Amino acid sequence: MTTPEAVFLGYKRTDGSVGVRNHVLVIPTVICAAVVAERIAASIAPVGSALPHLAGCGQIGPDLNVTHDTLAAYARHPNVGAVLVVALGCEQVVAQHLADTARRSGRPAEIVSIQGEGGTVRATARGIEIARELAAAIDRTERTTLPASSLVLSVKCGGSDYTSGLASNPVVGRVADRLVDLGGAVVLGEIAEIMGAEHLLAARAATPAAGAQLLRVVNRVEAEAMALGLDIRGTQPSPGNIRGGLTTIEEKSLGATHKAGERTRLEDVVAYSAPVTRRGLTVMDTPGLDVESVTGMVGGGAQIVIFTTGLGTPTGNPIAPVIKVTANARTAQTMADNIDVDVSGVLTEAESFEGASSRLFAEMLDVSSGRATAAERLGHREFAIHRRNPTI
Amino acid sequence: MTMAIVISADDNVATALEAIEAGRTVRAGATVVTSADHIPRGHKIALRAIPAGGRVIKYGSPIGTASSDIAAGAHVHTHNVASARGRGDLAGTASARAQSGAAAAATPRIAEPAE
């Protein structure tokens, strides 16, 4: 270990939460406002970050709620210092609700309306002006020394191959175990990729209710897939997973769940983007698509993501650093610009699992203290809200 | 001798860290087996014969069912292993499934405790 104590330099918010980044978040209420929001955020890069998304209108019921709740979760996220909401003016998602959510959590927040300002040019100009003021206002926020126990770590895998289950996911699992030992929290998503391994997680449930809820969501996702009358092999595992040696979803899941730790107890199962409130392991009900899954877990309050890959993948997030880990030595070379940590040595026994996980734990703290990840350097800010129903 | 990784003592397959030609002697944990097929890098080799319908075990848990007899040393992949999960294709036609959408939810893989 390079750090004598498990601490990092983060942002202590007035609502008690702890951030690892300090973004001015520019939130379009609806797809129609996405381009204006992106231009405003770009004017104050890299502190500015936008949340371009495809929804905000044509939605009813639970589907609209998920969109609203996810945008609100980002508006009060610990990695966000200030919020600018960009509205069109006639959409369903309520700009005032998002701004009020941010203000209640102690963040300055403003609204620009494209219809109210009178078009793209005026709204963009006004937005840039406000965004610069917000960036100046939060620039004075200083990092202070904080314990690792204040972290909510999202664990994720994507573009998996045989190295993921054998090496990179077990390395991440040891980081998860250690963080939970220190009093931190870990969140695992992708219910379809628990299918076939749910017996192992349910056996580690802290309460009968948590175990029962896990089985309920896994069974619901399997029933939804089966209702289509098709074999899910082809998406689970994906064509790339199959080329990489993964034969069935059971095999993929058994390898994937290693990243949630070997001894963490399952404390809670929460809905998409819902707050992670327990220390220990929480499972979030997200789909398997990487960007939707990361979007939901960050919405739940994860400040940082550790993402393993075998084949390589560039995915980032608009407000949370995503650390890419691979145990595939070829991918570490061929996709070097996307990879932060190479743990391929554990497969050749050049490095122990303990050594690799200590190195990754130290990297997690360094990134939490402000060091940019590969995804951040490359401008990867992928964001996609899970949809529960078709657009009306 | 070529090496393959075996994770749990219960496993009947191992993972090739490098491609293995047919006819090679392969050591996987305590087991030594002769490869019957070309095994691509990252793919699995059978450590012992698995009869059609038998469970394929990796990580100490079932990863699927043999869809044909698998000889010791054979390449184990989608051509001879079927998943037991998410098999809507085996659960009747799409229209029949749509009419009884609750049926799948009523037959969970692991029974849920009563509310």
Side-chain angles (χ1 to χ4, degrees):
Chain A
M1 275 298 297
T2 52
T3 41
E5 286 178 86
V7 295
F8 66 99
L9 294 171
Y11 298 98
K12 182 90 178 157
R13 305 292 180 194
T14 54
D15 64 355
S17 67
V18 165
V20 304
R21 294 292 182 270
N22 195 34
H23 286 294
V24 172
L25 186 63
V26 186
I27 308 177
T29 50
V30 61
I31 182 172
C32 319
V35 165
V36 170
E38 287 187 285
R39 287 177 186 168
I40 293 168
S43 76
I44 52 164
V47 65
S49 195
L51 291 188
H53 63 91
L54 303 176
C57 234
Q59 299 180 275
I60 54 172
D63 185 50
L64 178 61
N65 294 340
V66 169
T67 296
H68 229 150
D69 292 348
T70 301
L71 295 175
Y74 276 72
R76 56 175 149 69
H77 192 279
N79 290 358
V80 170
V83 170
L84 173 59
V85 182
V86 181
L88 175 59
C90 52
E91 64 276 27
Q92 288 179 284
V93 166
V94 183
Q96 194 64 49
H97 169 69
L98 298 177
D100 288 346
T101 299
R103 288 184 191 125
R104 272 198 305 275
S105 69
R107 276 74 162 175
E110 300 295 337
I111 299 172
V112 167
S113 160
I114 297 172
Q115 289 169 353
E117 293 295 329
T120 294
V121 174
R122 289 193 189 94
T124 305
R126 178 73 187 126
I128 288 172
E129 198 178 321
I130 296 171
R132 283 179 181 159
E133 289 166 10
L134 291 172
I138 66 168
D139 192 43
R140 288 186 289 274
T141 315
E142 292 199 351
R143 288 181 181 266
T144 57
T145 301
L146 294 159
S149 58
S150 47
L151 291 176
V152 179
L153 167 67
S154 158
V155 291
K156 175 77 186 77
C157 55
S160 298
D161 69 2
Y162 71 101
T163 65
S164 305
L166 292 181
S168 54
N169 287 335
V171 167
V172 174
R174 283 167 168 80
V175 171
D177 281 333
R178 181 161 168 205
L179 182 63
V180 169
D181 286 346
L182 290 167
V186 172
V187 56
L188 171 74
E190 303 187 294
I191 301 303
E193 295 174 29
I194 294 174
M195 203 184 294
E198 64 266 53
H199 56 295
L200 302 177
L201 285 178
R204 277 159 42 201
T207 63
Q213 182 61 9
L214 176 76
L215 299 179
R216 206 151 29 235
V217 296
V218 171
N219 290 333
R220 193 208 74 233
V221 168
E222 185 169 17
E224 285 173 355
M226 289 182 68
L228 300 173
L230 302 169
D231 184 354
I232 63 167
R233 184 145 71 182
T235 184
Q236 290 291 9
S238 71
N241 294 152
I242 291 172
R243 279 195 299 278
L246 300 180
T247 303
T248 63
I249 182 57
E250 296 94 311
E251 181 182 14
K252 183 175 175 178
S253 295
L254 288 163
T257 51
H258 279 302
K259 65 186 181 291
E262 306 298 326
R263 59 176 189 271
T264 52
R265 301 218 304 165
L266 174 68
E267 300 284 345
D268 203 4
V269 179
V270 299
Y272 186 85
S273 264
V276 173
T277 58
R278 309 276 181 85
R279 314 321 288 177
L281 176 63
T282 292
V283 166
M284 181 178 286
D285 185 358
T286 83
L289 182 64
D290 291 345
V291 179
E292 286 188 18
S293 179
V294 171
T295 295
M297 290 190 282
V298 172
Q303 305 104 320
I304 189 164
V305 182
I306 297 184
F307 190 129
T308 70
T309 184
L311 304 167
T313 179
T315 297
N317 179 266
I319 59 170
V322 178
I323 299 173
K324 288 284 160 42
V325 182
T326 190
N328 185 320
R330 287 167 181 79
T331 299
Q333 289 184 351
T334 59
M335 289 188 58
D337 59 353
N338 297 108
I339 302 297
D340 293 287
V341 182
D342 174 0
V343 296
S344 58
V346 299
L347 280 176
T348 57
E349 298 182 357
E351 186 177 26
S352 66
F353 277 99
E354 289 68 27
S357 64
S358 289
R359 206 155 48 83
L360 181 56
F361 194 91
E363 176 80 6
M364 176 182 74
L365 295 179
D366 284 350
V367 168
S368 296
S369 296
R371 186 206 286 176
T373 62
E376 288 178 304
R377 287 194 298 272
L378 293 167
H380 278 287
R381 298 166 179 272
E382 288 82 356
F383 179 81
I385 302 171
H386 178 49
R387 298 292 304 272
R388 291 298 304 168
N389 298 108
T391 306
I392 302 297
Chain B
M1 189 175 295
T2 314
M3 306 294 276
I5 284 196
V6 59
I7 300 157
S8 163
D10 297 333
D11 293 0
N12 54 15
V13 295
T15 303
L17 292 185
E18 294 297 337
I20 300 173
E21 296 307 315
R24 295 292 172 86
T25 302
V26 180
R27 176 177 293 280
T31 305
V32 176
V33 67
T34 302
S35 53
D37 301 312
H38 171 79
I39 316 291
R41 181 171 59 90
H43 287 225
K44 292 175 291 299
I45 181 171
L47 296 178
R48 45 189 173 274
I50 307 169
R55 297 200 303 178
V56 180
I57 309 286
K58 183 181 170 186
Y59 300 107
S61 288
I63 64 165
T65 305
S67 53
S68 59
D69 288 337
I70 300 174
H75 180 210
V76 177
H77 202 24
T78 50
H79 62 287
N80 55 12
V81 180
S83 172
R85 304 299 298 269
R87 294 301 299 271
D89 57 326
L90 302 181
T93 64
S95 59
R97 174 60 49 193
Q99 286 166 4
S100 59
T107 54
R109 305 299 306 189
I110 297 180
E112 297 156 12
E115 289 287 347

